[in-house]
Amino acid sequence: MARAARGALAGRTPPLLKPVPIGATPLCDDRGVTGPVRAAVLNAPHSPLVVEQLELADPGPGEVRVRYGASGICHSDLHCVDGEWTVPLPLVLGHEGAGVVEAVGPGVDGLAAGDTAVLSWRYACGHCRACVRGRAWACANTRMGDCTLDDGTLRFRRGDTDVYQYLSVGTFAEAAVVPASAVVPIPASVPFEVACLIGCSVTTGVGAVTNTARVEPGASLCVIGCGGVGLSVVMGAVLAGAHPIIAVDVEDAKLEQARDLGATHAVRGDGDVAAAVKAIVPGGVDYAFEAIGLRPTIELMPDLLCLGGVAVMVGMTAEDVRVSFSGFGMAEFGHSVLGSNYGSSVAPIDFPRIAALYEAGKLPIDRLITRRVALEEVNEAFDDMRERRGGRAVILYG
């Protein structure tokens, strides 16, 4: 799941991108062309993506060309397809990618052709106030929210039309030119289908537990929604030593998957969730996480908490959704509400750490994947997501 960027943008995947007129951010014509590459392009909201051939320019200063091996299909992408978030068009969607560095532009240090890497859509400048405070996820000095490169130009082109790339990475393509700071090397032993999920859903969910909420060993925890992010919250809760870990969903298959990943209890989300949770933990849980992005489930969280409990908002809503809580209750019961942006992560630190935990058998990321699809099947994967069929889908290239 992914928001954040420039101006008023501040979050994990940008719901409010500033459209830039086509032609205002041109491809740099004095560069060579790598393409053509196949990419899934969103040309209009409420319409299927179209897989087509695009030209891809060579990387410029501070840029890297990555050949993608896999891309996750995230609900944040679906928000754009369904017109719930405003994005510039035409747009190569996808923001959850992993692959191999093919070429580096002038001035790029620490990366070389052949490196295996995960893409961070929430890449950072490294020198602003947020970055020097260790809050890279709050950096607002990049152009990711404009879906361009950092010089404001584009690298994809279709004939005479420039094509944007979602969050500056555009992972629904065979290859892309991206900012060097968005490229985080990890061991080549981590499969691409696992590595791409580290780039968004896993870091978002695990980080919400370990970084944002800083859940203590033995703390009780509930997560509403057992998609890729919610299941990653479960894995993060196991890492943190939380107990009990209560999973809530309306799909039995997802509850079973949550149990498989370490949830100690499963609660159907179409019943009296508060009563069921408090039957397991009298008085309520220490932490409640919402990983869907729906107003009713967000507003449910205070009812699940004990005195002094913490509600953590992880799921992303549509742009115009507002939520409300009892002002009296928040003060009387000492509740806190935290917004979790990209798991409060610093990608160059957290991505390799998560990869190491996967290789050590501590984070079974591969068990999140229930579907592996070709690029041409992306629209069918979105249909499955709308109907809540299956678990995490991953596009495999090559």
Side-chain angles (χ1 to χ4, degrees):
M1 287 193 172
R3 92 201 140 185
R6 302 169 58 77
L9 302 181
R12 202 171 32 78
T13 315
L16 298 173
L17 299 169
K18 293 191 302 182
V20 181
I22 295 298
T25 54
L27 184 79
C28 294
D29 293 312
D30 57 346
R31 295 185 187 154
V33 174
T34 299
V37 298
R38 290 184 311 131
V41 180
L42 177 67
N43 293 297
H46 308 291
S47 64
L49 274 62
V50 178
V51 177
E52 48 192 297
Q53 298 275 2
L54 302 179
E55 292 181 343
L56 177 63
D58 288 338
E63 298 170 3
V64 174
R65 186 174 74 240
V66 177
R67 177 69 53 174
Y68 289 130
S71 173
I73 300 175
C74 182
H75 203 277
S76 296
D77 301 303
L78 184 61
H79 279 300
C80 301
V81 176
D82 288 349
E84 296 178 336
W85 292 353
T86 305
V87 291
L89 300 172
L91 175 72
V92 175
L93 269 178
H95 61 282
E96 200 172 55
V100 175
V101 173
E102 285 192 320
V104 300
V108 174
D109 296 320
L111 293 169
D115 286 347
T116 299
V118 177
L119 274 294
S120 170
W121 60 262
R122 198 65 178 87
Y123 67 98
C125 72
H127 55 76
C128 69
R129 178 184 179 188
C131 287
V132 298
R133 294 174 64 198
R135 295 157 62 94
W137 52 270
C139 175
N141 281 355
T142 69
R143 299 297 291 268
M144 53 157 286
D146 296 330
C147 297
T148 71
L149 276 291
D150 276 343
D151 62 0
T153 64
L154 304 173
R155 301 293 170 267
F156 285 120
R157 175 174 283 176
R158 178 181 58 205
D160 294 330
T161 302
D162 300 324
V163 180
Y164 295 87
Q165 54 196 70
Y166 191 38
L167 301 175
S168 302
V169 295
T171 63
F172 288 180
E174 293 174 317
V177 170
V178 301
S181 57
V183 181
V184 181
I186 64 167
S189 52
V190 180
F192 289 136
E193 63 183 42
V194 168
C196 71
L197 299 183
I198 294 174
C200 185
S201 59
V202 171
T203 295
T204 296
V206 171
V209 175
T210 59
N211 296 333
T212 307
R214 299 182 182 270
V215 171
E216 311 90 350
S220 54
L221 182 150
C222 175
V223 56
I224 306 170
C226 296
V229 172
L231 292 173
S232 297
V233 170
V234 170
M235 292 193 298
V238 173
L239 273 179
H243 183 82
I245 301 168
I246 305 169
V248 180
D249 204 284
V250 297
E251 301 288 336
D252 290 336
K254 292 186 176 182
L255 291 174
E256 182 179 348
Q257 193 175 12
R259 280 188 175 276
D260 181 55
L261 291 170
T264 59
H265 297 78
V267 170
R268 288 278 306 187
D270 49 6
D272 189 339
V273 174
V277 167
K278 290 181 177 178
I280 299 166
V281 183
V285 294
D286 296 305
Y287 296 91
F289 293 77
E290 202 277 353
I292 308 171
L294 296 176
R295 182 172 61 189
T297 45
I298 293 171
E299 294 179 343
L300 172 65
M301 284 194 289
D303 295 337
L304 311 180
L305 296 175
C306 65
L307 288 170
V310 180
V312 186
M313 296 175 59
V314 186
M316 292 294 300
T317 71
E319 289 178 4
D320 58 350
V321 172
R322 299 182 68 85
V323 300
S324 62
F325 305 110
S326 164
F328 175 83
M330 295 299 291
E332 175 69 11
F333 304 128
H335 290 164
S336 301
V337 178
L338 298 176
S340 184
N341 181 330
Y342 209 6
S344 303
S345 64
V346 178
I349 296 173
D350 287 290
F351 286 9
R353 181 180 293 166
I354 289 173
L357 288 167
Y358 164 75
E359 293 202 297
K362 303 291 186 180
L363 277 177
I365 299 170
D366 53 309
R367 281 152 56 184
L368 296 176
I369 304 168
T370 60
R371 292 166 294 168
R372 295 163 177 84
V373 302
L375 183 62
E376 289 77 9
E377 298 172 290
V378 65
N379 292 308
E380 289 81 355
F382 281 134
D383 289 339
D384 287 342
M385 188 178 293
R386 291 185 186 97
E387 299 299 322
R388 299 180 61 85
R389 292 191 295 260
R392 199 66 171 179
V394 171
I395 297 170
L396 298 181
Y397 297 104

